[in-house]
Amino acid sequence: MQPNRQSIVHMAKKTKEKASAKATHKPAVEEKKDHIFKNFFGSVKNEIGQFIVGLVLALIAFYMLIAFISFFTTGAADQSILENPTSADLGVGNEIKNSTGAIGAQMANYLINGCFGISAFFFVIFIGVAGLKLMKAYRVKLTKWFICCSLLLVWFSVALGFLCGTSFADSHIIPGGLHGYNVSNWLTSQIGAPGVWLLLLVTAILFAIYLSRETINLIRKMLHPHIPLDKLRRHKDSSPTEEKNLSGEGENPEGETTPEDEGEATVIDLDVDTPVTTLEEEMSITPVVDEEVPVVEEEIPIVVENNEEPAPEGDEQEKELEMEVETPEDEEYDGPQLEPYNPKLDLENYHYPTLDLLKKYENNAPSVDAEELNAKKDRIIEVLRNFGVEIASIKATVGPTITLYEITPAPGVRIAKIRNLENDIALSLAALGIRIIAPIPGKGTIGIEVPNAKPRIVPMETILASKKYQESDMELPVAVGKTISNEVYMFDLAKAPHLLVAGATGMGKSVGLNAIVTSLLYKKHPAELKFVIIDPKKVEFSIYAPIENHFLAKVPDSGDAIITDVDKVVQTLNSLCVEMDTRYDLLKSAGARNIKEYNAKFIERRLNPEKGHKYLPYIVVIVDEFGDLIMTAGREVELPIARIAQLARAVGIHMIIATQRPTTNIITGTIKANFPARMAFRTSSMIDSRTILDRPGANQLIGKGDMLYLQGQDPVRVQCAFVDTPEVENIVSHIAVQQSYLSAFELPEVQVEGGDSSGAADVDMNKLDPMLRDAAQLIITHQQGSTSLIQRKFSIGYNRAGRIMDQLERIGVVGPAQGSKPRDVLCQTEMDLDMIMSNL
């Protein structure tokens, strides 16, 4: 049945209406979809969305890092699967060894071997940095990171592909990846190997210039070593156009780099060295404090873009030219004023002792043949087995005079059982000085120290020529000898801070003291170090008398700098106590905690010499035959030594006392408590060893410089370096012929008790000191009558300051001495002083 015309028209009309309805509803649907996308991107832009995306990127970077690292160890096992993967090989229950599974293994294999090689790690770095950036944990310039990572990715890939070539053909890792391998082969075919080297060098230099324009100055410096870097930096182009092109900001007429410019520096994570500190600060990842706080770079355009009419370009160029011309003149003018103080300037031509002054011994290397080692090893094993002690292993370490046999006992063997066999092992080896260390600290072995049949001398020349001594940065480096493992043993006397040396007569104690002095003389300038030497025997240290004006210190008018009289010993030790107190006063006024900080401030000219500040040298006090001093002077010597040992470390005064009788009445508890560093040569009994080291061991040494050094928990066995008397004479002669100070370093003179009461009566008023009036004005100003005040303010000796004080008492400016209290000031005004001085 055919539809009529009206029905057809009606159907067409309905279809048209539906179509129009769909047309009217289509924009609404699209609008809804656009709204969804806008919400998504808006959420990415807000803080929460960025944090989530950043967190995901950081986790992806961490996942990739684990995959890459695991690929280096498991790639060989997974290679057969990764080259021809199937769904069965990569499905559940696969045999992939990579820690991150099949996906991680495939990704690592593709990016490392299939693409860029080891440099694929730059992917991980950039993704991780991008994640941290989005999380707002750190503020970085993501564009700079992307450019740097991309360039380094390609450069290292080509470089590794060129350098390694087919060297890793049998390995599961291609260092440069297929990209680096193919590109390097193509470059080699076109420009040859030298051309590839030059291309890599040029691109590296261009990349360094992109990171920092300071690279240009460094290259100029390499081409012309005599031109100073400061001059190169002054001639740096500072045109506004160039600044604008480099920084992307507005003009900066003064040519100064802004934080935007600094952003072009290298990141520390990129492992590219940059000589400019500000560049490192910009490219390093710094924590975000507040995103809305304006950074420094936003303040600079505000200063430049003001409401005033901008100056013409010609005027700006003229100002820049004037700046470039005037700045060097200002620097030359201000330079000498800001130049650091040089304490060595008075003796700037001083030459340190040279190694050729010391004697060179031939065949000084330890020579223990295999026959001797095997014979002693067999005897040790035999003795232990005879007593039912089995060992798992044994090895020997040959030293200059001692060989250390390290044995590992079998399971179930008690250490005490081996320790009790000391005498039996010594009997079997027919050796003197067997010492058992059970166990060796830090190792799971037991040590048996056996003297060598042919001991070797450890020359001082080899110790001082060693790299360890030459490159040492210790304040007071002391090189004493070599350990059992033939390593040079050194310690810093400034950190010791005081040393106790003991040992029987003839065991090397005096040679050890000479080695300490020698190692200090080779490192320190006369302005940096002074010795106070107390030698009751009168002959041990008299060899150092010629260098009195260079390195020795003494009390004024005390005669020889090498102190041998007991009365002068007490006076010198008390003088050191006064020096210590004076130094503490200086440190207090300077706000320094120790002598190192104080001298650093003085060198930087942050302390005023007119206020009594001066450069403070280290003072090393050497007391030989301490036992004889205790017997003759007793408590008068022990008290100042104990006081110096307790307090003087921070002010640079360090003590070394030596005795051949280490008994408890000589080395008292007070002395031991304040001398943490001990140097024990061979002693005659175990009791003496316990007195020095608080343990046995020194009685088992073999003598001739064999010693135990203790600073901490466990002693170290050292063969002391040998320095003979002719060698010391050569060193002293080398120093003595050079320019010296006018006199020895003066210690403050100690005021004799009861001397002030009659001092004023004995003053000769016909010989008034030229500084009398200045000293009187100083005392009136401070209203404090103190001899040390005059000494410190006028930088004069204690004797002269005392005479001035006696004259002031005689003319009535100050009252008599009142013990430790300051004198009363009798003159209150300068008018009264003028009347007194006019009467004179």
Side-chain angles (χ1 to χ4, degrees), residues 12 18 50 69 116 122 156 210 237 265 289 349 372 426 469-470 488 490 496 502-503 639 714 745 755 808:
K18 289 181 180 180
Q50 288 183 358
I69 295 175
F116 298 101
F122 287 107
F156 275 104
Y210 166 73
D237 186 12
V289 180
N349 295 323
E372 180 183 349
Y469 177 82
Q470 294 293 335
V488 174
M490 293 180 59
L639 284 179
D714 301 299
F745 183 81
L808 292 175

Side-chain angles (χ1 to χ4, degrees), residues 721-740:
F722 179 71
V723 52
D724 204 359
T725 303
E727 298 176 70
V728 179
E729 290 177 346
N730 293 338
I731 298 171
V732 170
S733 300
H734 173 83
I735 298 173
V737 297
Q738 300 186 54
Q739 180 187 1
S740 67

Side-chain angles (χ1 to χ4, degrees), residues 68 71-72 108-118 120 173-174 177:
F68 285 8
F71 180 76
F72 282 94
N109 182 60
Y110 174 73
L111 292 177
I112 293 178
N113 286 343
C115 293
F116 298 101
I118 300 175
I173 296 177
I174 305 175

Side-chain angles (χ1 to χ4, degrees), residues 16 38 92 178 277 334 349 504 602 674 718 723:
K16 187 176 181 181
K38 286 181 180 179
V92 179
L178 291 179
T277 307
D334 295 334
N349 295 323
F602 189 83
N674 295 291
V718 181
V723 52

Side-chain angles (χ1 to χ4, degrees), residues 468-481:
K468 186 174 182 180
Y469 177 82
Q470 294 293 335
E471 297 181 356
S472 170
D473 57 353
M474 300 178 181
E475 294 295 322
L476 295 175
V478 176
V480 290

Side-chain angles (χ1 to χ4, degrees), residues 655-676:
M655 295 203 70
I656 302 173
I657 62 174
T659 180
Q660 63 181 355
R661 290 185 298 170
T663 56
T664 53
N665 60 338
I666 301 297
I667 304 177
T668 61
T670 304
I671 297 297
K672 288 180 63 176
N674 295 291
F675 283 78

Side-chain angles (χ1 to χ4, degrees), residues 414-470:
R414 299 183 62 183
I415 295 178
K417 192 173 183 180
I418 300 178
R419 190 186 290 114
N420 294 333
L421 298 177
E422 182 175 324
N423 294 331
D424 299 288
I425 296 174
L427 178 64
S428 174
L429 298 176
L432 177 66
I434 296 291
R435 196 170 78 103
I436 293 181
I437 310 172
I440 297 178
K443 297 182 179 180
T445 57
I446 296 174
I448 302 177
E449 296 177 346
V450 181
N452 296 337
K454 297 179 181 179
R456 297 292 182 182
I457 294 176
V458 178
M460 195 67 191
E461 188 266 342
T462 60
I463 301 297
L464 300 185
S466 65
K467 182 179 179 180
K468 186 174 182 180
Y469 177 82
Q470 294 293 335

